[in-house]
Amino acid sequence: MWTSPNEKGPVVVEREALVSHLQALLEADRFKDYGPNGLQVEGRAQVRTVVTGVTASLALIDAAIAEGADTILVHHGLFWRGQDGRVTGWMKQRLARLLANDINLLAYHLPLDAHASLGNNAQWGQRLGLVADARFGDQNLGFIGPAPAGLTLEALGDRVAQTMGRAPVVVEGDGRPLRRVAWCSGGAQGYFEQAIAAGADVFLTGEISEPQAHCARETGAAFLACGHHASERYGVQAVGEHIATQLGLAHTFIDVPNPA
Ligand SMILES: [Zn+2]
């Protein structure tokens, strides 16, 4: 009987080795963040199957259990500054499911946005055909680079819609030619003014709040809100693929759609 090299059986990695690998890869200790990066909920000491997703929601946890995962790696974990700390309601449900199934929950927030090649901003930019030549904003999270030659705001909006599967909210600026494009995934609408100060003619992020529309009209720089969830699907997938390749772990990305 012929046995393919892939039938050696699953690779097993010590959880602590996986966490150390990710901490170093993502330079997690370098960031001031809104919640703990790294291991948030301890499960099995040995890891075989990793599921990645954007948010540690109940739906993702249940999907990971169905997938037979022992480890979940997300961008948005369970614990954030400002929470009241009680394990009730949705928090109880999510934790109960993780603990009952002995699943590790690993979360990387800003380190996963920022990584120069595997992060959300790098991967999102790559899919949109954008190359950064500089960084801006708090902890250098924002990416900025030259606009592809002749790119119009309309064409950029179309590119976003095609690549991401949803039409962006577009606030036009003063109609200037796009020379510099800045982007920062997720809820980075508050970085719009920093992007403009860094020289952006247009800024892409996940969400829009009320002030950004006025800011676009009054400064002349355009603004695109492309979806918080939609813009943050890419980094965790890239990191999942990286650990699958580097460590030999089984990896599946599970997208739990979110209209936000
Ligand atoms: Zn986010």
Side-chain angles (χ1 to χ4, degrees):
M1 192 186 87
W2 184 79
T3 307
S4 86
N6 296 331
E7 288 170 25
K8 284 182 296 189
V11 169
V12 179
V13 173
E14 295 296 319
R15 179 190 63 235
E16 289 316 313
L18 174 62
V19 174
S20 305
H21 184 93
L22 288 169
Q23 293 284 126
L25 175 73
L26 299 171
E27 299 178 277
D29 298 335
R30 197 161 65 78
F31 292 87
K32 271 197 295 179
D33 214 326
Y34 309 96
N37 287 304
L39 184 65
Q40 288 200 343
V41 179
E42 186 178 308
R44 268 161 263 183
Q46 294 187 320
V47 174
R48 291 174 175 80
T49 304
V50 178
V51 157
T52 57
V54 177
T55 299
S57 62
L58 192 62
L60 179 71
I61 294 167
D62 282 342
I65 292 166
E67 190 72 26
D70 47 59
T71 299
I72 301 175
L73 169 63
V74 294
H75 182 50
H76 301 138
L78 288 183
F79 308 110
W80 301 98
R81 193 197 296 160
Q83 281 172 338
D84 72 8
R86 284 179 287 186
V87 181
T88 56
W90 61 268
M91 180 65 91
K92 182 225 166 176
Q93 288 198 319
R94 295 184 193 180
L95 274 174
R97 212 75 112 239
L98 290 169
L99 295 171
N101 290 277
D102 210 11
I103 291 178
N104 297 298
L105 177 67
L106 294 164
Y108 289 94
H109 184 235
L110 299 183
L112 191 53
D113 289 321
H115 191 274
S117 60
L118 301 173
N120 280 322
N121 289 329
Q123 292 283 321
W124 185 26
Q126 203 178 83
R127 282 169 175 78
L128 294 175
L130 304 172
V131 179
D133 59 14
R135 306 277 285 261
F136 71 93
D138 179 46
Q139 303 185 70
N140 273 330
L141 292 168
F143 281 43
I144 184 166
L151 184 74
T152 63
L153 186 60
E154 198 186 352
L156 180 59
D158 289 346
R159 195 181 280 205
V160 166
Q162 277 183 7
T163 307
M164 305 180 71
R166 54 177 286 158
V169 174
V170 180
V171 185
E172 292 180 18
D174 55 12
R176 65 177 74 169
L178 304 182
R179 292 191 186 87
R180 302 281 291 165
V181 182
W183 66 98
C184 193
S185 67
Q189 62 269 46
Y191 287 13
F192 188 22
E193 286 184 74
Q194 293 176 59
I196 295 166
D201 298 305
V202 57
F203 179 58
L204 297 88
T205 184
E207 297 188 41
I208 183 168
S209 299
E210 197 270 356
Q212 282 83 49
H214 306 293
C215 186
R217 292 172 189 148
E218 292 170 25
T219 64
F223 183 95
L224 279 79
C226 307
H228 187 140
H229 170 90
S231 64
E232 296 196 323
R233 285 172 297 183
Y234 307 121
V236 80
Q237 284 185 67
V239 171
E241 285 307 305
H242 172 90
I243 57 175
T245 309
Q246 296 290 310
L247 305 177
L249 290 166
H251 165 240
T252 309
F253 171 73
I254 296 179
D255 193 27
V256 177
N258 187 327

